[in-house]
Amino acid sequence: MPALIDINHLYDLSGKVALVTGGAEGMGAGTCRFLGSAGATVAVADINLPWAENTASEIVAAGGSARAYQVDLAHEQSVVDLVKGVRADNGRLDILVNVAGLQDREFLEETSVALWDKLHHVNLRGPFLTIREAAKIMRADGNGGRIVNVSSMGSVHPIFEGLVAYNASKSGVNGLTRNAAYELAEHGITVNAVLPGNTTTAGQARSPGPAIDISKLTKLTPPLGRTGKPSDIAGAILFLVSPISEWMTGQTLTIDGGHLNS
Ligand SMILES: NC(=O)c1ccc[n+]([C@@H]2O[C@H](COP(=O)([O-])OP(=O)(O)OC[C@H]3O[C@@H](n4cnc5c(N)ncnc54)[C@H](O)[C@@H]3O)[C@@H](O)[C@H]2O)c1
């Protein structure tokens, strides 16, 4: 090891193609900006095509490389077409980041099968499908790969009420992460998850559900004194898709301002 290490090289994604779901806004858009800034060509995928196009246009206008794609993660063929399309358009696929998710809330006894299925289709089956399709391509191309799933702090510890279906779907994401990591390791493909704590986004604020009884919330402000920002999560994702973390797989990394540590 040299006395001084080229740190920039360890975060350099030049020549890499990254597919990010949920890139229209919030953490997904932030992740697209981080990966684009590190040199990756970013496929900004979302059900909301106009906003995905905004994210891609901003990256291109700033000198990066990006293109928007429409996908509905609840539909298998839509996911299959997305992943194949990104590989066909760009000639390779090195990185997959599953950020898209629904955050609808409902109390346990009011949770319908329809709500349960909706959250599981987008939050858990969607990432399963993107990983399945990306893994086929990454294995065939033989260049290894990086996969990151956005789970939630609530997948390991309940914080808000009304998140039974949501947190169950995210707990599934943790299991998906560990098992995919185990199967894909021999092909040089790493799979990790980030577990954000309460992160302020417009999408979270818009999410439907009953009013939360603030008096029942255990700890509103984490020890670091503020809620999360999309860049807090995007930075951890950049680490997990960069050369610097190449010997790390199957991990669930909590980024919550110290909430679960208190
Ligand atoms: N905000 C938080 O406090 C928080 C905390 C923990 C985990 N998370 C998770 O982080 C991720 C991003 O959260 P956010 O607050 O930035 O969310 P957000 O609502 O701002 O963004 C989610 C994106 O997913 C897209 N999307 C929804 N359904 C889709 C579908 N069927 N197909 C394709 N795209 C679809 C939306 O259009 C949107 O652009 C989500 O998976 C969320 O569950 C959020």
Side-chain angles (χ1 to χ4, degrees):
M1 186 187 293
L4 290 178
I5 295 145
D6 182 354
I7 294 296
N8 286 338
H9 178 70
L10 293 174
Y11 286 92
D12 184 10
L13 301 181
S14 300
K16 306 287 187 191
V17 174
L19 167 56
V20 180
T21 73
E25 62 175 321
M27 292 178 209
T31 299
C32 290
R33 294 187 185 106
F34 267 62
L35 303 198
S37 301
T41 293
V42 186
V44 183
D46 205 286
I47 197 168
N48 183 345
L49 184 60
W51 288 24
E53 286 172 337
N54 285 346
T55 302
S57 301
E58 286 172 13
I59 291 170
V60 170
S65 175
R67 175 171 166 176
Y69 293 81
Q70 188 165 36
V71 65
D72 183 352
L73 291 168
H75 290 283
E76 181 178 15
Q77 194 58 49
S78 180
V79 176
V80 172
D81 292 346
L82 168 73
V83 181
K84 283 187 177 157
V86 170
R87 169 65 176 79
D89 290 346
N90 298 284
R92 57 190 297 144
L93 176 62
D94 305 282
I95 296 163
L96 165 67
V97 188
N98 285 304
V99 188
L102 296 173
Q103 302 176 67
D104 302 30
R105 285 175 289 105
E106 189 49 275
F107 297 121
L108 171 64
E109 291 168 44
E110 310 301 328
T111 298
S112 64
V113 166
L115 178 62
W116 178 275
D117 287 349
K118 181 174 121 178
L119 292 180
H120 279 71
H121 282 170
V122 174
N123 294 357
L124 178 55
R125 202 181 69 173
F128 151 66
L129 291 170
T130 56
I131 291 172
R132 186 187 74 185
E133 296 307 306
K136 291 176 193 170
I137 289 167
M138 289 171 175
R139 279 184 61 170
D141 287 353
N143 300 318
R146 297 302 181 90
I147 298 173
V148 178
N149 300 318
V150 176
S151 175
S152 173
M153 171 179 77
S155 68
V156 292
H157 197 291
I159 303 294
F160 295 165
E161 294 175 318
L163 289 170
V164 170
Y166 173 82
N167 282 337
S169 73
K170 293 296 190 180
S171 298
V173 169
N174 299 347
L176 171 67
T177 300
R178 293 192 193 96
N179 284 276
Y182 189 71
E183 278 200 24
L184 297 176
E186 65 179 296
H187 307 292
I189 302 168
T190 69
V191 189
N192 292 287
V194 293
L195 280 58
N198 187 16
T199 304
T200 303
T201 66
Q204 184 208 42
R206 283 197 313 270
S207 296
I212 297 170
D213 182 349
I214 298 292
S215 67
K216 290 187 181 171
L217 287 180
T218 45
K219 292 163 190 154
L220 269 178
T221 307
L224 283 176
R226 63 166 173 83
T227 59
K229 298 179 286 192
S231 56
D232 294 320
I233 313 307
I237 291 171
L238 173 63
F239 168 75
L240 290 171
V241 303
S242 296
I244 195 165
S245 65
E246 71 176 4
W247 204 54
M248 180 173 173
T249 196
Q251 300 305 303
T252 50
L253 181 63
T254 305
I255 307 149
D256 65 352
H259 204 139
L260 290 189
N261 191 41
S262 59

